Amino acid sequence: AGPAWGPAFARRASPDLKMASDEDKLLRQLEFYMSDASLPYDTFLAGELRRSEADATVSVSAATLAGFPRVVALLPDLSAEERAE
């Protein structure tokens, strides 16, 4: 599979972001965070990945991603406690 923003992503993404479902918007945002266009320059996420690598997981927790401002804006009904789970 190619990068998240390749032709396959373009085919399944909604053509008009304003008409995209909240799930589509959230998926696009999360894919962007992990994309080659963002991840190499994101010192916070790079630190999270390095920290998880020490635990042999090489991942970022859902709770960490759920706390990002753009994700919070896309999930307004999620409480702070739910984000932390």
Side-chain angles (χ1 to χ4, degrees), residues 7-79:
F9 180 80
R11 281 193 299 276
R12 75 172 194 266
S14 299
D16 181 0
L17 192 55
K18 289 185 181 188
M19 296 186 69
S21 72
D22 288 343
E23 277 185 13
D24 287 340
K25 291 176 185 177
L26 179 59
L27 176 63
R28 290 179 75 160
Q29 189 61 46
L30 294 174
E31 285 180 333
F32 174 74
Y33 289 146
M34 298 300 154
S35 73
D36 290 339
S38 176
L39 191 56
Y41 308 102
D42 189 320
T43 55
F44 177 77
L45 280 178
E48 290 293 303
L49 289 170
R50 275 194 300 281
R51 189 173 9 270
S52 71
E53 188 175 31
D55 297 334
T57 59
V58 190
S59 62
V60 177
S61 74
T64 297
L65 294 171
F68 285 14
R70 289 188 185 198
V71 174
V72 169
L74 290 169
L75 301 171
D77 296 332
L78 215 57
S79 70

